[in-house]
Amino acid sequence: MSDPGAVHDYGSDIYTEAAGDDDTLAHLGPLRALAGVWTSAEGTYVHPVGPGSDISGPVVDGDEHNEFVEHYELHPIDPQTNGPQLFYGLRYHTHIVKPGEVETFHDQVGYWLWERAARTVLHTLAIPRDQVALAAGGAEPDATEFEVSATLGSETFGILSNPFLVRAFHTVSFRLRVTVHDDGRWSYEEHTMMRVPDRDGLVDHVDRNTLRRIAEPAPNPLAAAPRGGA
């Protein structure tokens, strides 16, 4: 994989916008396999627990191990430009509950973006616990496995958290690996490294899941627009 911090040389003209194609699905590179609506009841996670925590799963070395149910939607957006820089992408929303429950356990929104010129996949995330991140990683257009990462303090691909999280569960790095399977499913493995006051070293919060498609993606607005005249 290429360096996610690498910058493609777009030349001296930073104002002229790149010409994109209306059909985003045709230009998503390695992200094309992720487009659609997905579900799984087989997700697993490992996260730190402390005294008084509401624990529903087994605890090993101070970490709770449990399962979750996930609904993940990824729909194409119209091409996006920063002058000559061109992105094709998917807007996503993932919603997670514990088995048999309706209360939201995790909710997350953002974008998966493909910058073909730089051979780079980008992943933005925002969660309603007041935390955001921008991660990136190199990939080829036909890749069936790729990884994005972010690091605390980076001016490009980094992490921002609210003051309480900085004090109590301070995220210092984020890494997410995606694997596309031959049967049409895709999997992810996510590692969020945190500093927790009562724990030695860094705590690795791990999430894993394999998702199956239950619906096709909605076309992006330009692709869905009627063509031709009367």
Side-chain angles (χ1 to χ4, degrees):
M1 293 185 180
S2 60
D3 177 4
V7 178
H8 179 72
D9 182 5
Y10 285 100
S12 60
D13 180 0
I14 63 172
Y15 297 103
T16 301
E17 291 191 352
D21 185 80
D22 290 353
D23 185 4
T24 292
L25 284 175
H27 299 278
L28 284 171
L31 299 179
R32 176 60 183 90
L34 277 58
V37 181
W38 306 80
T39 191
S40 172
E42 301 174 356
T44 62
Y45 66 91
V46 179
H47 70 103
V49 295
S53 299
D54 181 13
I55 300 171
S56 57
V59 176
V60 180
D61 295 329
D63 295 327
E64 181 182 3
H65 296 241
N66 222 322
E67 299 177 348
F68 60 82
V69 179
E70 183 167 15
H71 180 86
Y72 203 143
E73 297 197 16
L74 301 103
H75 298 291
I77 59 174
D78 289 339
Q80 303 292 306
T81 59
N82 293 317
Q85 186 180 42
L86 175 63
F87 296 108
Y88 292 97
L90 300 166
R91 179 192 301 110
Y92 77 85
H93 175 211
T94 180
H95 182 257
I96 292 174
V97 298
K98 293 182 179 180
E101 298 186 8
V102 297
E103 179 184 4
T104 299
F105 179 68
H106 182 79
D107 196 89
Q108 181 177 315
V109 297
Y111 296 92
W112 279 100
L113 302 172
W114 169 237
E115 185 185 3
R116 181 183 175 91
R119 295 295 198 270
T120 299
V121 172
L122 301 103
H123 178 66
T124 75
L125 67 91
I127 61 174
R129 290 194 284 273
D130 201 15
Q131 188 175 56
V132 296
L134 171 60
E140 292 301 316
D142 59 352
T144 57
E145 187 172 69
F146 52 89
E147 182 176 296
V148 296
S149 61
T151 305
L152 180 68
S154 172
E155 292 185 351
T156 52
F157 306 117
I159 303 158
L160 288 173
S161 306
N162 76 53
F164 172 78
L165 289 179
V166 169
R167 178 175 67 84
F169 304 99
H170 197 188
T171 299
V172 299
S173 68
F174 170 84
R175 178 167 53 89
L176 172 60
R177 176 175 288 272
V178 169
T179 302
V180 177
H181 304 290
D182 292 339
D183 61 3
R185 299 179 302 159
W186 67 278
S187 301
Y188 67 82
E189 180 170 311
E190 182 179 298
H191 293 262
T192 304
M193 305 299 294
M194 300 182 294
R195 293 193 187 101
V196 181
D198 60 349
R199 302 286 292 270
D200 293 330
L202 294 177
V203 174
D204 188 5
H205 185 301
V206 184
D207 298 276
R208 298 183 178 92
N209 206 356
T210 298
L211 298 125
R212 59 180 177 84
R213 184 188 281 116
I214 57 173
E216 294 298 319
N220 57 291
L222 281 173
R227 297 290 186 269

